[in-house]
């Protein structure tokens, strides 16, 4: 057989193999809920994941994402995913602690010192150890993406030391660790769903909130907040949750593609978010925000101020999971 004919035969075989592989996929549209607005690093991850799933299924596995909490806030959308009436939600882990209390370990103040630690804990055995807990709650967590390190914004004053938070009405996530942390720091915390934050700030129902800088820009909080203080007081993982009821209906190939493409989305959203960090802060200044760092000595005073919260909440979360995270952090820091 001549070389061109061999090449032709090889191409025909490859095409056959691809179409046979794609034959293992049914035409499906996966409905996804996200609380962020398109343009946030998380949306870059979703775009990557969507393209990946389409490529690997011959266009049969489609993701359709509803941004801006259009299908409900984190808590309500997560509940729909748990019952199977919605396929996927991307949410911070903090609002999930009602269903999975141990997730509050990731909300402990000043737990992670940097993204490297967060990545290794979440992508490693500690993050994986949550799989059975997610499944018990009717969820499959495909990967941990990044919401990021949280910083304080408010309309009253720069926060350069914990005392500056006295009397500040702070919106916090619906999560006891955040409520207790911001009480211990002397502010008046109010738990609110993410979808209510902008209007609460605009009407001065609350004076401040705390979120990663990418979200502060993405949600235009700079329009209603004057001061940004770079506290990095907590790190928020983002769970990429599939309804277990729906996931179990997928073929092994479809499940494999969803997991593989969620990892591709994770890498993309982390890459974009970390590349943007410096430019986002410059952009927030340009939008009129007054941005301040907090000195290491004052951050240490904040840590000392919330130590009791840390200990009390560690007991509630479960000393086993807290000890496991601490042991993993010690290993990472010693490496
Ligand atoms: C976005 C929320 C947000 C969270 C919050 O869907 O509520 O402040 O940090 O990221 O999950």
């Amino acid at each position: 057989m001549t070389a061109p004919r061999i090449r032709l035969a090889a191409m025909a075989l490859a095409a056959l193999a691809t179409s046979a592989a794609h034959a293992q996929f049914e035409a499906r549209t996966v409905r996804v809920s996200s609380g962020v607005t398109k343009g946030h690093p998380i949306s870059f991850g979703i775009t990557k994941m969507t393209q990946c799933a389409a490529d690997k299924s011959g266009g049969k596995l489609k993701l359709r994402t509803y941004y801006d909490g259009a299908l409900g806030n984190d808590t309500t959308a997560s509940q729909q995913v748990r019952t199977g009436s919605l396929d996927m939600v991307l949410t911070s882990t903090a609002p999930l602690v009602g269903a999975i209390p141990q997730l509050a370990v990731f909300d402990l103040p000043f737990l992670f010192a940097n993204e490297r630690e967060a990545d290794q804990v979440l992508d490693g055995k500690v993050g994986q150890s949550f799989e059975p807990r997610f499944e018990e709650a009717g969820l499959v967590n495909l990967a941990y993406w990044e919401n990021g390190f949280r910083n304080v914004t408010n309309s009253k004053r720069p926060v350069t030391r914990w005392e500056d938070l006295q009397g500040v009405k702070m919106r916090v996530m619906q999560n006891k660790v955040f409520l207790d942390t911001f009480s211990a720091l002397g502010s008046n915390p109010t738990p609110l769903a993410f979808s209510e934050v902008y209007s609460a700030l605009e009407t001065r129902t609350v004076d401040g909130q705390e979120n990663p800088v990418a979200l502060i820009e993405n949600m235009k909080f700079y329009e209603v907040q004057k001061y940004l203080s770079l506290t990095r007081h907590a790190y928020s993982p983002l769970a990429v949750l599939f309804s277990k009821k729906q996931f179990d209906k997928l073929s092994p190939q479809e499940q494999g593609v969803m997991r593989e493409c969620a990892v591709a989305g994770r890498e993309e959203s982390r890459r974009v978010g970390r590349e943007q960090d410096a430019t986002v802060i410059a952009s927030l200044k340009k939008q009129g925000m007054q941005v301040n760092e907090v000195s290491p000595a004052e951050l240490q005073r904040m840590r000392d101020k919330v130590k009791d919260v840390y200990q009390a909440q560690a007991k509630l979360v479960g000393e086993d999971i807290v000890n496991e995270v601490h042991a993993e952090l010690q290993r990472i820091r010693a490496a």
Side-chain angles (χ1 to χ4, degrees):
M1 194 191 285
T2 60
R5 291 176 70 80
I6 291 170
R7 236 189 335 275
L8 211 59
M11 282 165 66
L13 269 176
L16 259 178
T18 306
S19 62
H22 291 164
Q24 291 152 14
F25 294 90
E26 276 181 46
R28 287 178 193 279
T29 298
V30 174
R31 295 169 66 241
V32 185
S33 172
S34 168
V36 305
T37 297
K38 217 166 169 24
H40 185 280
I42 291 169
S43 68
F44 284 77
I46 293 172
T47 301
K48 180 82 175 178
M49 184 174 176
T50 302
Q51 188 57 54
C52 170
D55 291 349
K56 291 180 180 296
S57 66
K60 291 189 181 161
L61 200 45
K62 292 185 172 62
L63 271 60
R64 179 177 302 145
T65 299
Y66 299 81
Y67 288 100
D68 304 305
L71 297 183
N73 62 49
D74 291 339
T75 307
T76 50
S78 300
Q79 195 48 37
Q80 292 170 50
V81 171
R82 292 180 67 191
T83 60
S85 58
L86 176 61
D87 300 307
M88 277 183 70
V89 61
L90 280 76
T91 171
S92 291
T93 51
L96 296 168
V97 297
I100 309 170
Q102 297 85 352
L103 279 174
V105 68
F106 297 127
D107 302 322
L108 291 171
F110 300 104
L111 177 72
F112 295 132
N114 53 54
E115 286 86 351
R116 183 176 70 90
E117 291 181 4
D119 293 355
Q120 291 193 30
V121 167
L122 292 165
D123 298 349
K125 59 184 172 51
V126 171
Q128 285 152 17
S129 74
F130 277 87
E131 192 47 51
R133 298 184 179 111
F134 279 116
E135 296 209 353
E136 278 159 37
L139 301 164
V140 176
N141 185 40
L142 300 176
Y144 293 95
W145 292 9
E146 175 162 278
N147 188 2
F149 279 97
R150 306 180 74 90
N151 302 289
V152 169
T153 68
N154 80 94
S155 54
K156 284 185 170 301
R157 64 183 83 95
V159 174
T160 60
R161 53 208 295 257
W162 66 262
E163 289 85 348
D164 294 330
L165 280 166
Q166 302 319 289
V168 175
K169 287 180 289 184
M170 281 292 293
R171 176 269 174 177
V172 294
M173 289 190 283
Q174 295 144 308
N175 170 303
K176 189 109 179 34
V177 180
F178 281 88
L179 205 59
D180 292 359
T181 296
F182 278 87
S183 289
L185 289 169
S187 74
N188 302 330
T190 306
L192 280 177
F194 185 62
S195 47
E196 294 161 37
V197 177
Y198 187 95
S199 57
L201 294 169
E202 190 178 34
T203 56
R204 293 285 189 275
T205 310
V206 293
D207 304 314
Q209 66 86 45
E210 42 83 53
N211 251 296
V213 290
L215 256 188
I216 293 165
E217 183 186 51
N218 180 251
M219 303 309 290
K220 298 189 173 14
F221 290 157
Y222 52 81
E223 294 174 343
V224 289
Q225 294 281 260
K226 174 71 186 158
Y227 303 103
L228 165 60
S229 305
L230 300 174
T231 51
R232 290 167 65 93
H233 55 273
Y235 175 90
S236 276
L238 190 90
V240 180
L241 300 171
F242 208 111
S243 167
K244 186 170 184 327
K245 197 174 279 185
Q246 301 303 337
F247 196 73
D248 289 348
K249 293 175 187 169
L250 301 183
S251 70
Q253 292 77 12
E254 290 169 324
Q255 291 181 354
V257 164
M258 287 310 297
R259 289 188 185 279
E260 189 184 337
C261 295
V263 172
R266 176 187 72 195
E267 297 313 300
E268 178 71 355
S269 68
R270 284 178 181 172
R271 179 186 65 78
V272 172
R274 293 166 190 180
E275 276 175 9
Q276 278 184 0
D277 245 8
T279 52
V280 164
I281 291 173
S283 154
L284 292 170
K285 286 178 180 171
K286 225 186 289 174
Q287 296 287 0
M289 290 198 88
Q290 186 178 314
V291 182
N292 71 278
E293 298 278 353
V294 181
S295 72
E298 288 303 337
L299 283 175
Q300 187 51 53
R301 290 185 69 237
M302 287 183 180
R303 279 192 191 84
D304 297 343
K305 194 72 185 151
V306 300
K307 201 165 50 223
D308 294 349
V309 171
Y310 198 105
Q311 279 152 11
Q313 286 299 329
K315 275 199 173 20
L316 285 174
V317 167
E319 308 226 336
D320 52 339
I321 186 71
V322 174
N323 293 339
E324 196 182 341
V325 173
H326 282 167
E328 188 63 2
L329 283 170
Q330 273 175 342
R331 186 192 64 75
I332 294 164
R333 289 165 183 165

